[in-house]
Amino acid sequence: MSALRPSQALRLWHDATLALVRAEEPDLTARQMTVLLTVYLEAPPHTVRGLAAKLGVTKAVITRALDTLGRHGLLTRKRDPKDMRNVLVQRTVEGALFLERFGDLVVDKAKEVVG
């Protein structure tokens, strides 16, 4: 596939997020989706402190995102048994399936945009 033009990239982003909003999937904010993708695409371990540093936000911001993602079953949290001050963020089967469906959706929309 050749490189997308900016207008095509924006159309792809629009079409993919529109399809996600219309689907019976959780309607995540950009920040929540970024946290989710970071946990699934980058090697663990993931901590609240580490995610906050990576995204350039406070731990409270990450905690709010994790609260929502946890309610949807997309991620879980637990105390690090080696250092009880740290909270580990863990993947779930539901989260992996959600992102697999989203990835498939993006591929389908990319085919439509490119064409």
Side-chain angles (χ1 to χ4, degrees):
M1 183 163 95
S2 62
L4 293 174
R5 293 187 314 273
S7 62
Q8 289 175 310
L10 291 172
R11 173 59 56 193
L12 173 57
W13 186 252
H14 170 268
D15 292 355
T17 56
L18 177 61
L20 188 62
V21 168
R22 288 179 173 169
E24 302 223 1
E25 298 283 4
D27 186 11
L28 303 179
T29 66
R31 183 174 287 152
Q32 292 162 354
M33 183 64 94
T34 301
V35 169
L36 184 64
L37 286 167
T38 299
V39 170
Y40 280 85
L41 296 177
E42 297 183 6
H46 299 284
T47 63
V48 171
R49 183 180 294 120
L51 289 167
K54 178 157 188 74
L55 274 67
V57 297
T58 66
K59 291 188 294 183
V61 166
I62 296 299
T63 297
R64 285 192 300 273
L66 293 174
D67 288 345
T68 298
L69 294 167
R71 277 193 300 276
H72 292 299
L74 303 175
L75 293 173
T76 62
R77 286 178 279 192
K78 75 171 195 172
R79 287 276 174 198
D80 183 348
K82 297 176 189 167
D83 183 349
M84 297 301 281
R85 296 171 296 174
N86 287 329
V87 176
L88 297 174
V89 180
Q90 300 178 313
R91 301 167 182 165
T92 65
V93 172
E94 296 86 23
L97 293 172
F98 170 83
L99 287 177
E100 184 176 329
R101 289 188 300 272
F102 184 65
D104 289 342
L105 186 149
V106 171
V107 168
D108 290 344
K109 296 301 176 186
K111 290 176 186 172
E112 292 173 15
V113 167
V114 174

Coordinates of all heavy atoms in Angstrom, one line a residue, residues 9 14 16 18 21 23 33 43 54 57 59 63-64 73 78 84 86-87 95 102 109 111:
A9 N -5.7 10.1 5.1 CA -5.5 9.7 6.5 C -6.6 10.2 7.4 O -7.1 9.5 8.2 CB -4.2 10.2 6.9
H14 N -11.6 9.3 10.4 CA -13.0 9.6 10.5 C -13.9 8.4 10.4 O -14.7 8.1 11.2 CB -13.5 10.7 9.5 CG -14.9 10.8 9.4 ND1 -15.7 10.1 8.5 CD2 -15.8 11.6 10.2 CE1 -17.0 10.5 8.7 NE2 -17.0 11.4 9.7
A16 N -13.1 5.2 10.5 CA -12.9 4.1 11.6 C -13.5 4.5 12.9 O -14.2 3.7 13.5 CB -11.4 3.9 11.7
L18 N -16.0 6.7 13.3 CA -17.4 6.7 13.1 C -18.0 5.3 13.2 O -19.0 5.1 13.9 CB -17.8 7.3 11.8 CG -19.3 7.4 11.4 CD1 -20.1 8.2 12.4 CD2 -19.5 7.9 10.0
V21 N -18.0 4.3 16.9 CA -19.1 5.0 17.6 C -20.5 4.3 17.3 O -21.3 4.1 18.2 CB -19.2 6.5 17.3 CG1 -20.4 7.1 17.8 CG2 -17.9 7.2 17.9
A23 N -20.9 1.2 16.4 CA -20.9 -0.2 16.8 C -21.4 -0.4 18.2 O -21.4 0.6 19.0 CB -19.5 -0.8 16.6
M33 N -8.3 5.5 24.5 CA -7.9 4.6 23.4 C -6.3 4.6 23.4 O -5.7 3.5 23.2 CB -8.4 5.0 22.1 CG -8.0 4.1 20.9 SD -8.7 2.4 21.1 CE -10.2 2.6 20.1
A43 N 5.5 -3.6 25.3 CA 5.8 -4.7 26.3 C 5.5 -4.3 27.7 O 5.8 -3.1 28.1 CB 7.2 -5.1 26.1
K54 N 4.6 8.5 30.2 CA 4.6 8.3 28.7 C 3.7 9.3 28.1 O 4.0 9.9 27.0 CB 4.3 6.9 28.4 CG 4.2 6.7 26.9 CD 4.5 5.2 26.6 CE 4.6 5.0 25.1 NZ 5.9 5.5 24.5
V57 N 0.8 13.2 31.3 CA -0.3 13.6 32.1 C -0.1 13.2 33.5 O 0.8 12.5 33.8 CB -1.7 13.0 31.5 CG1 -1.9 13.5 30.1 CG2 -1.6 11.4 31.6
K59 N -1.0 11.2 37.2 CA -1.5 9.9 37.5 C -3.0 9.9 37.7 O -3.7 8.9 37.4 CB -0.8 9.4 38.8 CG 0.6 9.1 38.6 CD 1.3 8.4 39.9 CE 1.3 9.4 41.0 NZ 2.0 8.8 42.2
T63 N -5.6 7.3 36.1 CA -6.6 6.6 36.9 C -8.0 6.7 36.4 O -8.7 5.7 36.4 CB -6.5 7.1 38.4 OG1 -5.1 6.8 38.9 CG2 -7.5 6.4 39.3
R64 N -8.4 7.9 36.0 CA -9.7 8.1 35.5 C -9.9 7.2 34.2 O -11.0 6.6 34.0 CB -10.0 9.5 35.2 CG -10.3 10.3 36.5 CD -10.9 11.7 36.2 NE -10.0 12.5 35.4 CZ -9.0 13.3 35.9 NH1 -8.8 13.4 37.2 NH2 -8.3 14.1 35.1
G73 N -14.2 -3.8 31.0 CA -13.5 -5.1 31.0 C -12.3 -5.1 30.1 O -11.8 -6.2 29.7
K78 N -3.8 -4.2 39.4 CA -3.5 -4.9 40.6 C -2.3 -4.3 41.2 O -1.4 -3.8 40.5 CB -3.5 -6.4 40.5 CG -2.2 -6.9 39.8 CD -2.1 -8.4 39.9 CE -0.7 -8.9 39.6 NZ -0.5 -10.3 39.8
M84 N 4.5 -2.8 46.6 CA 3.0 -2.5 46.8 C 2.7 -1.0 46.5 O 1.5 -0.7 46.5 CB 2.6 -2.8 48.3 CG 2.7 -4.3 48.6 SD 1.8 -5.3 47.5 CE 0.2 -5.1 48.2
N86 N 3.3 0.4 43.7 CA 3.0 0.4 42.2 C 1.7 -0.3 41.9 O 1.4 -1.3 42.5 CB 4.1 -0.3 41.4 CG 5.4 0.6 41.3 OD1 5.3 1.8 41.4 ND2 6.5 -0.1 41.3
V87 N 1.0 0.2 41.0 CA -0.2 -0.4 40.5 C 0.1 -0.9 39.0 O 0.5 -0.1 38.2 CB -1.4 0.5 40.4 CG1 -2.6 -0.1 39.8 CG2 -1.7 1.0 41.8
G95 N -10.3 -7.0 26.2 CA -9.6 -5.9 25.6 C -8.9 -6.3 24.4 O -8.9 -5.6 23.4
F102 N -11.3 -3.8 16.3 CA -11.0 -2.4 15.9 C -10.0 -2.4 14.8 O -10.1 -1.7 13.8 CB -10.6 -1.5 17.0 CG -10.3 -0.1 16.6 CD1 -11.4 0.7 16.2 CD2 -9.1 0.5 16.7 CE1 -11.2 2.0 15.8 CE2 -8.9 1.8 16.3 CZ -9.9 2.5 15.8
K109 N -11.7 -0.1 6.5 CA -11.9 1.3 6.1 C -10.8 1.8 5.3 O -11.0 2.6 4.4 CB -12.1 2.1 7.4 CG -13.4 1.8 8.2 CD -14.6 2.0 7.3 CE -15.9 1.6 8.1 NZ -17.0 1.6 7.2
K111 N -9.1 0.0 3.1 CA -9.3 -0.5 1.8 C -10.3 0.4 1.0 O -10.2 0.7 -0.2 CB -9.8 -1.9 1.8 CG -8.8 -2.9 2.3 CD -9.4 -4.3 2.4 CE -8.4 -5.3 3.0 NZ -9.0 -6.6 3.3

